[in-house]
Amino acid sequence: MKTLFRRCLSLSLVLILVGSVSFFSFSNHSKAATKHYYYVHKTSNLYSSTKSSKKKLKTISINVRLSTYSSKTSSMYKVTYSGKTGYVYKANLSTKPTYVTRYVKKTANLYNNTSTHKKKMTSIPINTKLTTTSPLSDKLYKVNYKGKNGYVYSDNLSSTKVKVPQKTTYHFGDTARIGDLKVTVSYPINLDPYYAFEDDFSDVNNVVEFKVSVTNIGKEAHYIDTTDFDLYKNNISQDEYYPLYHDESISGNIHPGDSVRGSLYYETNENSSLKLTFDNYQYDSNFNKIKAISFYGRN
């Protein structure tokens, strides 16, 4: 009887011991097997080990999602990325994706998805500011534009605004911008010089009139003169630099918000290919880096 009791007691102790060891092992295994997810917050390198002699294996872009079983207290986490297993610095990771700002560097289309059957929703103009949480290694970024969620090709985006080349050639009748000035040149008007100028230009065969308007939309005054305008006929400059007749109302200082309006008159043949060029650089150093603006057409 005593022998049987001792055997049962021994068996019970063994089972308790085995159970305790199994529970302890299971608890430790469960704790070690916890998977954590992180997003790359700062462009990171994937290293071969945690040693000082470690080698760089790959570069991981911002917002790439990674998983790891490493302890949260580790300074480097073990991860697998693009088929390679290595270590990344914990300091470069975050539990949430990072909002990244991008600008449209060339007209981009907003698509409804990333599949090969995606459809264009709308176009986004140059230098539009967009934000994304997509991995920067992706081909298409998810963005919101004017309340619409969609995708744009990353190749069409830039981290900074792009410098848009200034348009320098316009048709007669258009309004152009040169620096702080808005300039409008009308369609050329063919005149009878005798009636237009009485007897002053009776020896002139053909006269063309351009109605000109210049408005200062800047914050400083700017000086202009009629000699800022130079006429070219059939791509050849006129023999006379000055117009036949100066409208003095076009010349002088233009203060912020003010405009000047008047006409310029040139002698030219009928049905000529004309180009009137406005170039203010000779009087105003503010325009040194701006190309002349030309208005063209036929009279």
Side-chain angles (χ1 to χ4, degrees):
M1 190 73 174
K2 289 182 178 180
T3 302
L4 181 60
F5 175 76
R6 288 172 182 167
R7 287 180 180 178
C8 291
L9 180 61
S10 299
L11 181 60
S12 299
L13 291 173
V14 170
L15 291 174
I16 292 172
L17 180 61
V18 171
S20 299
V21 171
S22 299
F23 177 77
F24 180 76
S25 298
F26 177 77
S27 298
N28 281 347
H29 177 73
S30 298
K31 186 175 181 180
T34 301
K35 184 185 283 189
H36 303 288
Y37 293 93
Y38 297 95
Y39 297 89
V40 176
H41 175 67
K42 180 181 178 182
T43 304
S44 301
N45 293 325
L46 181 71
Y47 292 102
S48 58
S49 69
T50 60
K51 299 177 182 179
S52 58
S53 58
K54 59 185 176 290
K55 294 181 180 179
K56 174 184 171 182
L57 301 176
K58 278 184 174 295
T59 299
I60 311 177
S61 300
I62 292 173
N63 283 333
V64 169
R65 190 170 184 249
L66 301 171
S67 62
T68 182
Y69 289 104
S70 297
S71 170
K72 291 184 178 182
T73 59
S74 301
S75 60
M76 297 186 77
Y77 290 166
K78 186 177 182 180
V79 301
T80 298
Y81 172 69
S82 193
K84 290 187 178 293
T85 299
Y87 298 82
V88 294
Y89 279 102
K90 169 187 176 181
N92 293 341
L93 307 179
S94 174
T95 57
K96 295 180 180 180
T98 301
Y99 283 90
V100 178
T101 298
R102 287 291 183 265
Y103 297 91
V104 177
K105 67 179 180 182
K106 58 182 179 180
T107 303
N109 293 327
L110 183 71
Y111 295 99
N112 61 339
N113 59 56
T114 60
S115 73
T116 55
H117 303 292
K118 59 185 175 290
K119 294 182 179 179
K120 174 184 171 182
M121 300 167 65
T122 187
S123 294
I124 310 176
I126 293 175
N127 282 332
T128 298
K129 182 180 178 181
L130 301 171
T131 57
T132 184
T133 57
S134 295
L136 298 191
S137 54
D138 282 1
K139 190 175 181 179
L140 286 144
Y141 292 168
K142 186 176 182 178
V143 300
N144 182 284
Y145 175 65
K146 291 187 175 180
K148 294 181 179 180
N149 290 317
Y151 298 84
V152 295
Y153 278 99
S154 58
D155 288 347
N156 293 336
L157 306 178
S158 172
S159 58
T160 58
K161 286 187 176 182
V162 296
K163 185 176 181 180
V164 181
Q166 183 177 359
K167 184 178 177 181
T168 57
T169 306
Y170 295 80
H171 289 92
F172 291 127
D174 291 342
T175 296
R177 168 84 179 267
I178 178 168
D180 290 340
L181 302 181
K182 283 202 308 185
V183 183
T184 302
V185 174
S186 72
Y187 289 94
I189 304 167
N190 289 303
L191 301 176
D192 183 328
Y194 180 82
Y195 292 105
F197 308 107
E198 297 180 350
D199 294 329
D200 293 342
F201 299 100
S202 57
D203 58 336
V204 176
N205 294 320
N206 297 288
V207 173
V208 63
E209 174 188 7
F210 295 99
K211 292 185 181 300
V212 177
S213 171
V214 183
T215 303
N216 185 354
I217 58 175
K219 297 180 179 180
E220 299 178 0
H222 294 287
Y223 183 83
I224 70 164
D225 191 271
T226 51
T227 55
D228 293 337
F229 295 90
D230 190 16
L231 183 69
Y232 294 81
K233 180 176 62 176
N234 296 323
N235 297 319
I236 300 175
S237 179
Q238 294 286 71
D239 294 334
E240 291 184 323
Y241 181 72
Y242 294 97
L244 285 173
Y245 176 72
H246 288 238
D247 189 333
E248 296 301 331
S249 64
I250 300 178
S251 300
N253 275 314
I254 310 178
H255 297 283
D258 289 346
S259 300
V260 293
R261 294 177 177 84
S263 296
L264 295 174
Y265 301 88
Y266 295 86
E267 179 183 9
T268 184
N269 297 331
E270 290 187 18
N271 198 29
S272 296
S273 177
L274 302 177
K275 180 175 72 172
L276 188 66
T277 298
F278 174 69
D279 195 342
N280 193 238
Y281 76 92
Q282 56 186 316
Y283 293 107
D284 197 334
S285 60
N286 187 47
F287 292 92
N288 283 345
K289 296 181 180 180
I290 300 174
K291 293 182 179 179
I293 285 182
S294 297
F295 298 83
Y296 71 98
R298 303 184 76 86
N299 68 322

